[in-house]
Amino acid sequence: MDLAGFTAMTQAHGDDYAADVHDAFVGALDAACTATLDVECVKHLGDGALLVSPSAAGMLAALRAGVEQQGDAELCLRVRAGVHCGPVLLVRTAHGDDVLGHTVNVAARLAGIAAPGELLMTAAAVAEAGTTACDAVPLGARPLRHIAGPIEAWSLPLGTQDGLIDPVCHMTVGPGSIAAAAAGREWLFCSEGCRDAFLAGHR
């Protein structure tokens, strides 16, 4: 899983701001994994993370809880994630334990094509998750980079979907945010800096 739009947000608001958003994300995710018990965060990868669990239902619970806690922030980025079910290879490294294998690769590729606020799952993961994935929507077979053959993908929303997105930094914004009209419509922004940057490109 990772934070969608992290690169754009970092460019718009700077490294220190990005570090604060990242820390909030890590804290929310770690708290969710601790509360779920059978979900482990193997490693953080910049603005992303790799989670493992013997339970697909537990994985969904941790993802939803982490996104919900992270989304409580006044301004946040939407999360995107991919889940696959299968064996993984545990390896010991100088930096701690890690997991490798086809299962990890498929999950990573699904996360890479997921939309902001979306969780993509394979059919195997949906079947293993049972009723906790009953609201999953089938998307059909999707090609994944460097994965042989298309993979059947299912979509689940992560967090609320009613928030609006700042077109510059991709942070979620609400009705009380800074507004400006451009290109024939009204836009909402998290800050005057994002508003000015957007308008400068639409003159």
Side-chain angles (χ1 to χ4, degrees), residues 126-198:
V126 170
E128 179 68 23
T131 58
T132 59
C134 63
D135 51 345
V137 177
L139 300 179
R142 295 298 174 94
L144 300 179
R145 187 167 59 95
H146 301 315
I147 301 295
I151 298 292
E152 292 290 331
W154 297 66
S155 174
L156 278 168
L158 279 177
T160 59
Q161 301 297 305
D162 54 356
L164 301 174
I165 303 296
D166 184 310
V168 175
C169 69
H170 300 290
M171 302 288 281
T172 57
V173 292
S177 303
I178 298 171
R185 57 165 287 188
E186 185 176 82
W187 305 83
L188 294 179
F189 303 91
C190 72
S191 65
E192 293 180 357
C194 281
R195 177 201 62 194
D196 295 345
F198 184 81

Side-chain angles (χ1 to χ4, degrees), residues 64-162:
R64 286 167 168 160
V67 168
E68 182 178 345
Q69 291 182 48
Q70 187 259 347
D72 287 340
E74 182 178 353
L75 293 171
C76 66
L77 292 171
R78 287 185 175 173
V79 172
R80 60 180 185 169
V83 174
H84 185 33
C85 182
V88 297
L89 178 65
L90 175 66
V91 295
R92 310 288 186 185
T93 74
H95 305 289
D97 293 344
D98 199 355
V99 291
L100 304 173
H102 180 70
T103 300
V104 178
N105 296 339
V106 170
R109 294 293 184 253
L110 285 173
I113 66 171
E118 182 181 38
L119 164 64
L120 292 182
M121 305 177 67
T122 61
V126 170
E128 179 68 23
T131 58
T132 59
C134 63
D135 51 345
V137 177
L139 300 179
R142 295 298 174 94
L144 300 179
R145 187 167 59 95
H146 301 315
I147 301 295
I151 298 292
E152 292 290 331
W154 297 66
S155 174
L156 278 168
L158 279 177
T160 59
Q161 301 297 305
D162 54 356

Side-chain angles (χ1 to χ4, degrees), residues 38-40 52-59 85 128:
D38 62 350
V39 178
E40 177 186 357
V52 295
S53 174
S55 163
M59 179 66 77
C85 182
E128 179 68 23

